[in-house]
Amino acid sequence: MLEIDNLSIKVENFYIVRNVSLSVRKGEILGIIGESGSGKSITALSILKLIPESLKISGTVKVNGRDIYELEEREFNKNIRWKTVSIIFQDPAASLNPLLTIGEQIKEAIIFHEEKKENLKDTIINLLSEVEIKEPETVYKSYPHHLSGGMKQRAMIAMALSCNPDFIIADEPTTALDKQTEHKIIKLLKNLSKNKNTGVIFISHDIEVIETIADTITVMYAGFVMESGETGEVIKKPYHPYTKGLIECIPKVEGKGKRKLPVIPGNVTDIKSRPSGCPFHPRCSKRKEVCQRELPPLKQIEKRTVRCFFPEYEAV
Ligand SMILES: Nc1ncnc2c1ncn2[C@@H]1O[C@H](COP(=O)(O)OP(=O)(O)O)[C@@H](O)[C@H]1O
Ligand SMILES: [Mg+2]
């Protein structure tokens, strides 16, 4: 199990992330959804201790029961980073070394973390086949610039899998890809998670993508968790007005192929000028006076959580 409990991250006196709790089990996919700037990446980076030192962090991050911020750096690097939790970023080109072939760089990762040296070529060719690369021998010998965006991302996934991690964090891994390739990569990650019993935290600003891939969903806004629960339930009946807005933004084909794309009015606020009360209140059509004054607590309603004074479920 990977668990974040009450995580807050501050820059100077401003909160970037506030009281965030979430968890994912092995073999399960957690989707984190939210508009740009809502704190998704910084939350994910905290799991790999990749937060810059200028930021103040509080709360706990536990991987298989161990608090990673209590571990010595050496222990963390040897046993957790990459071996237990690995990460895939949005831009595979920036994460791959342009000077090494795909084979060489996966080999380096394995040697560095596993100190394993035998049959590495076979292991890597197998990994490349696992991520459904059709000509693994050719890709093994290729440099990143020889590969398409989708292929590069598959190679990154192979690298992330190379030390058999229990968890993979995928931070907008398909955002740079075309829709068709995105769909294939999502299917691949979903299959890998089930077949290898890997827990995945999949981050996206696209609720359609999250709906396709995730078992559970956490909705973030302005550094807060606004709602969380089982994906099907949340999509079917969002309790938070923000979640509802996101779902209404899913384009629906209307009439003769016309697409309607409503948007939630307003913008995500800058961290330095966050409104008082509920951070979503300036954009919320259901706001009342209290929403401007007080931060709503995170309520637990059966298996769901929601941070709203007037969640939708009370209205029915
Ligand atoms: N190193 C940093 N120093 C200061 N502010 C940061 C830093 N990293 C991120 N932020 C701020 O934290 C907020 C959340 O960022 P991020 O986690 O990248 O959002 P998301 O991934 O949801 O788009 C943003 O307002 C961003 O400007
Ligand atoms: Mg991000």
Side-chain angles (χ1 to χ4, degrees), residues 242-257:
Y242 177 59
T243 317
K244 198 170 172 213
L246 286 174
I247 293 165
E248 281 168 2
C249 288
I250 299 178
K252 294 186 182 66
V253 179
E254 289 199 342
K256 292 187 184 112

Side-chain angles (χ1 to χ4, degrees), residues 37 40-42 90 171-172 203:
K40 306 181 298 297
S41 293
I42 209 95
Q90 175 176 334
D171 190 356
E172 310 238 13
I203 297 175

Side-chain angles (χ1 to χ4, degrees), residues 11 16 35-42 52 55 271:
V11 53
I16 304 179
E35 286 161 284
S36 175
S38 54
K40 306 181 298 297
S41 293
I42 209 95
L55 305 186
I271 48 159

Side-chain angles (χ1 to χ4, degrees), residues 109-225:
I110 299 178
I111 293 172
F112 185 80
H113 295 277
E114 299 261 46
E115 292 149 25
K116 179 182 153 184
K117 292 196 175 70
E118 284 112 56
N119 303 324
L120 275 187
K121 185 169 180 193
D122 294 344
T123 308
I124 296 166
I125 298 285
N126 271 339
L127 274 170
L128 294 173
S129 312
E130 259 179 355
V131 296
E132 293 160 16
I133 288 178
K134 292 207 178 62
E135 292 176 31
E137 296 270 356
T138 312
V139 169
Y140 182 89
K141 287 181 281 185
S142 303
Y143 286 89
H145 68 267
H146 291 140
L147 307 177
S148 67
M151 278 301 211
K152 280 203 265 276
Q153 201 53 296
R154 283 179 198 271
M156 258 325 288
I157 297 171
M159 191 136 94
L161 288 171
S162 65
C163 299
N164 280 315
D166 292 338
F167 301 97
I168 294 183
I169 299 167
D171 190 356
E172 310 238 13
T174 58
T175 302
L177 306 173
D178 62 80
K179 274 279 161 207
Q180 208 183 356
T181 314
E182 171 169 64
H183 194 76
K184 288 184 189 155
I185 297 281
I186 286 171
K187 220 168 122 197
L188 169 70
L189 277 170
K190 213 168 162 169
N191 288 340
L192 287 170
S193 164
K194 302 300 165 224
N195 298 340
K196 296 172 92 74
N197 199 29
T198 312
V200 176
I201 295 185
F202 191 101
I203 297 175
S204 179
H205 61 273
D206 184 340
I207 190 130
E208 267 188 295
V209 168
I210 294 288
E211 184 183 8
T212 318
I213 194 168
D215 301 304
T216 58
I217 178 169
T218 290
V219 181
M220 286 187 73
Y221 187 83
F224 288 98
V225 170

Side-chain angles (χ1 to χ4, degrees), residues 1-68:
M1 180 107 129
L2 194 164
E3 298 164 273
I4 294 185
D5 190 35
N6 210 19
L7 177 80
S8 292
I9 302 171
K10 265 167 115 175
V11 53
E12 296 157 23
N13 284 324
F14 305 100
Y15 282 99
I16 304 179
V17 165
R18 198 153 178 189
N19 306 115
V20 165
S21 297
L22 50 85
S23 65
V24 62
R25 286 172 216 282
K26 288 175 72 178
E28 188 183 272
I29 304 184
L30 163 71
I32 305 183
I33 170 94
E35 286 161 284
S36 175
S38 54
K40 306 181 298 297
S41 293
I42 209 95
T43 300
L45 292 175
S46 75
I47 304 167
L48 282 159
K49 293 208 202 182
L50 295 173
I51 304 282
E53 280 191 11
S54 56
L55 305 186
K56 262 194 260 146
I57 173 163
S58 64
T60 56
V61 179
K62 283 189 185 161
V63 176
N64 297 334
R66 299 173 82 188
D67 183 342
I68 59 158

